Amino acid sequence: MLPYDSLEGAELALGWNLTVAERLWFSYSAHKSDYILYTHNCLFVFLVFSLVPLPWALVELYWFDAVDRFKLQPRVKRSFPELFKCYKDVLHQFIFVVAPLIAVSFPVLEWVGIRTSLPLPTKWEVISQLIVYFLVEDYTNYWIHRFLHSEWGYEKIHYMHHEYNAPIGFAAPYAHWAEILVLGIPTFLGPAMVPCHMTTLWLWSSLRQVESIETHSGYNFPWSPTKLIPYYGGPEYHDFHHFVGRQCQSNFASIFTYCDYLYGTDKGYRRHKQAVKKA
């Protein structure tokens, strides 16, 4: 909740005229508690995992023959009941795991210093923080993912995510409840290390979901803007990991490829790529 009674009071206290974005933020957040603002993440996560996979789902259902050359595993075509079942399973986990986790984690958020106050962050502040969050998430997720491919980790927890050996966008957050909890650590670790504004946290949570959905989409479209990102893994990179499944000891990174390269866990993928080129 902002400590100002009016826009004029905010401008007087801060010593400058508020920008349009800051006026909008004041109008929306002035009388809402920080807890209510934080739990907006529930809404954003729900909207992202419900809406963002839809274009790929529509392609799968209605335009498959037109774009099948971009399908990474073209022999696997999902039906509407299969897609809807996956969505319902993910929605169940959201209601009983993700939303409660968000609801009870607010004290940690306060402790690390996530703020709702004015001024809003500059665009360069937001961009630099997002870069840090993606790098921290990717590195931490890499090691947790490797652990989940140990015999115990896979049999007890990670097997569930690999039920989709030909991944789809709706299956990006499909996982065992314990995996959801553990993989929440890398996602929150960046903002804990470099505290940000609440709006940046909303953006980070949404972008991380969007990235994961694209990576699990099952389609490798050449026009995707993510292909411009250096060392970005993308759908083809992660699809290989799902295709191999339980025995896969390659392509553990969630976003970029540098960890797999540095630690030698991309060799199987590189051999596969070479074999495909020769064939």
Side-chain angles (χ1 to χ4, degrees):
M1 186 176 294
L2 300 183
Y4 313 111
D5 295 326
S6 63
L7 283 170
E8 293 75 15
E11 290 180 334
L12 184 63
L14 293 169
W16 68 77
N17 293 327
L18 299 181
T19 65
V20 173
E22 288 171 336
R23 285 173 172 267
L24 290 172
W25 176 248
F26 179 89
S27 299
Y28 183 75
S29 66
H31 303 294
K32 293 182 177 66
S33 69
D34 290 355
Y35 178 75
I36 294 299
L37 292 172
Y38 174 57
T39 54
H40 281 38
N41 256 334
C42 289
L43 174 62
F44 296 135
V45 170
F46 170 76
L47 290 175
V48 169
F49 85 71
S50 296
L51 299 179
V52 174
L54 284 179
W56 289 285
L58 293 174
V59 164
E60 188 89 355
L61 293 172
Y62 301 111
W63 300 297
F64 185 83
D65 293 337
V67 296
D68 65 335
R69 65 187 182 277
F70 302 123
K71 176 79 171 177
L72 291 163
Q73 297 187 48
R75 294 182 180 180
V76 181
K77 185 177 184 298
R78 305 289 181 181
S79 64
F80 177 80
E82 288 177 306
L83 293 172
F84 190 60
K85 179 184 182 302
C86 180
Y87 176 76
K88 287 194 299 181
D89 291 339
V90 170
L91 183 60
H92 179 273
Q93 295 289 58
F94 171 78
I95 294 172
F96 292 102
V97 181
V98 177
L101 180 63
I102 291 174
V104 302
S105 60
F106 178 70
V108 179
L109 195 82
E110 279 191 311
W111 179 68
V112 301
I114 303 297
R115 66 184 182 90
T116 60
S117 58
L118 293 171
L120 290 177
T122 66
K123 66 178 180 180
W124 296 115
E125 181 182 350
V126 172
I127 291 171
S128 62
Q129 287 173 337
L130 289 175
I131 290 173
V132 170
Y133 300 166
F134 273 110
L135 291 173
V136 170
E137 201 283 340
D138 186 63
Y139 187 81
T140 315
N141 187 294
Y142 171 85
W143 289 106
I144 295 176
H145 195 180
R146 283 191 68 169
F147 165 74
L148 290 173
H149 271 266
S150 66
E151 183 176 354
W152 184 91
Y154 194 94
E155 289 184 356
K156 301 296 184 182
I157 301 174
H158 196 49
Y159 72 90
M160 187 171 172
H161 184 65
H162 275 272
E163 288 176 8
Y164 289 89
N165 57 357
I168 54 177
F170 282 120
Y174 178 77
H176 191 281
W177 64 266
E179 182 169 344
I180 294 172
L181 294 178
V182 172
L183 290 182
I185 296 172
T187 302
F188 188 69
L189 187 58
M193 294 170 60
V194 184
C196 61
H197 195 272
M198 186 69 75
T199 53
T200 307
L201 186 69
W202 292 348
L203 179 60
W204 159 238
S205 300
S206 300
L207 288 177
R208 179 65 184 97
Q209 285 281 317
V210 171
E211 182 278 327
S212 182
I213 290 167
E214 194 222 12
T215 298
H216 288 84
S217 67
Y219 286 87
N220 187 30
F221 293 123
W223 54 78
S224 173
T226 55
K227 290 189 174 293
L228 300 175
I229 302 174
Y231 305 106
Y232 182 74
E236 183 182 13
Y237 192 80
H238 194 67
D239 195 272
F240 174 79
H241 178 84
H242 275 263
F243 176 73
V244 177
R246 175 173 185 164
Q247 304 303 320
C248 188
Q249 294 299 315
S250 185
N251 296 24
F252 292 112
S254 61
I255 303 168
F256 304 107
T257 60
Y258 71 94
C259 279
D260 283 304
Y261 177 78
L262 288 175
Y263 299 112
T265 50
D266 63 348
K267 294 177 181 178
Y269 175 68
R270 284 190 282 167
R271 285 194 297 266
H272 167 74
K273 293 282 287 184
Q274 290 172 355
V276 169
K277 285 183 179 180
K278 290 180 180 178

